[in-house]
Amino acid sequence: MAISDTARFVGDVPQYYDRSLGPVIFHDFAADMARLAAANGPVDVLETAAGTGIVTRKLRDGLGPQARLTATDLNAPMLDLAKSKFGADEQVSFGPADASNLPFADSAFDAIVCQFGLMFFPDKDRAHREARRILRPSGRYLFSVWDAPRYNPFPRLGLEAIERFFPGDPPQFLAFCCAEIDPIKESLIDAGFTDIRVSIRPRVAEVADPMDFARGFVFGSPLVEQLRERGGVDAESIVEELAERLAQELGHNPMRLPMQAIFYEARVA
């Protein structure tokens, strides 16, 4: 599967993503995910859609010293940044991989972890089947998605800011939520998983620098490439508009940003 234009993280995007978005919207959820994954003491762990290694770092810190961790992503520039967070002796390997067509043998892993990646998978059913294929008996599949926009105001405010400059035709660059639980559960059951557990995890993040967060939203996603291709709008103008909208709705000094994720845990019988 080729990477679609709406899912390319190239150029400076990984740096903005990791520095400006990561501490606000990813780190706390990554810690939760790593604790869940480490609870059963897995030895061989795979991470899909690993991005810049935010979850990978938490996993490596939480897994036992005997554990072997493999981090994969479709975007090589994201993985390049992820690699820089690890020493050569930490038993972490990196490589490109499509979560819907994984290059691993059957029953190769004890656990698979994926934070906020499922929204990008064109064929989610196939991704679940692949996860089932490469997990060992009693293996665990853990992943998270964003809940509905009403619980996560930052994508809504981002879209509103963008629409001011592109009325009626805003760039479509990220699938932010995957809020319907039953279809995902049914897909997991069809793929052969059992003991499916779902948890709703709200958070409120303090944002000390709304302008930096807004810059991460614009420059830390494929949006910035689409803006450059379209022309006519300075990306910094969207950053300023978004920062103003964030402050108006969520306050400042510091800004308090509500978020909500849905965590899934499924097991192979």
Side-chain angles (χ1 to χ4, degrees):
M1 180 185 71
I3 305 172
S4 70
D5 290 340
T6 58
R8 288 189 180 276
F9 291 76
V10 297
D12 292 335
V13 169
Q15 287 74 24
Y16 280 105
Y17 175 99
D18 192 68
R19 184 184 68 241
S20 299
L21 295 182
V24 178
I25 64 176
F26 295 131
H27 283 195
D28 283 351
F29 289 119
D32 284 355
M33 184 65 72
R35 282 192 292 270
L36 278 176
N40 287 37
V43 173
D44 293 298
V45 180
L46 172 68
E47 184 184 0
T48 59
T52 60
I54 293 171
V55 176
T56 320
R57 183 67 268 172
K58 299 288 188 183
L59 282 169
R60 184 61 277 174
D61 293 342
L63 292 168
Q66 80 286 356
R68 296 177 291 270
L69 177 57
T70 302
T72 66
D73 197 281
L74 272 176
N75 293 275
M78 299 285 270
L79 281 183
D80 288 341
L81 179 53
K83 290 178 189 177
S84 70
K85 300 179 180 181
F86 296 87
D89 61 344
E90 291 195 81
Q91 295 197 82
V92 184
S93 59
F94 297 86
D98 178 354
S100 299
N101 187 24
L102 292 166
F104 304 108
D106 295 357
S107 303
F109 293 94
D110 300 307
I112 299 173
V113 174
C114 182
Q115 174 166 279
F116 302 129
L118 187 72
M119 294 90 70
F120 297 103
F121 300 165
D123 191 338
K124 296 173 179 57
D125 295 339
R126 184 174 174 180
H128 296 328
R129 291 194 299 270
E130 276 291 273
R132 170 64 183 84
R133 177 183 67 79
I134 66 171
L135 278 170
R136 295 167 181 153
S138 299
R140 297 159 70 228
Y141 181 30
L142 305 107
F143 61 93
S144 60
V145 297
W146 290 116
D147 205 342
R150 66 180 177 272
Y151 302 113
N152 294 292
F154 66 91
R156 171 180 56 80
L157 292 168
L159 182 60
E160 290 174 0
I162 294 163
E163 285 181 331
R164 178 186 168 188
F165 298 90
F166 299 96
D169 184 30
Q172 299 298 314
F173 62 98
L174 288 178
F176 273 102
C177 76
C178 197
E180 294 186 12
I181 292 173
D182 285 346
I184 294 178
K185 288 177 63 178
E186 291 299 321
S187 178
L188 290 170
I189 291 168
D190 290 344
F193 286 100
T194 186
D195 192 20
I196 299 166
R197 304 180 185 184
V198 182
S199 60
I200 309 299
R201 297 180 180 243
R203 288 284 187 280
V204 177
E206 291 193 351
V207 185
D209 189 344
M211 183 68 77
D212 183 63
F213 179 70
R215 185 166 287 110
F217 186 94
V218 175
F219 287 91
S221 78
L223 170 63
V224 68
E225 292 300 320
Q226 295 191 26
L227 293 174
R228 289 167 180 161
E229 290 172 4
R230 289 195 181 200
V233 174
D234 180 8
E236 283 291 344
S237 297
I238 297 179
V239 170
E240 293 172 4
E241 176 71 17
L242 175 55
E244 182 177 343
R245 288 175 181 265
L246 286 165
Q248 286 175 347
E249 182 161 325
L250 304 172
H252 53 88
N253 295 325
M255 184 180 82
R256 294 178 61 80
L257 176 66
M259 300 175 289
Q260 188 158 289
I262 307 173
F263 275 43
Y264 291 82
E265 179 182 353
R267 186 172 57 84
V268 175

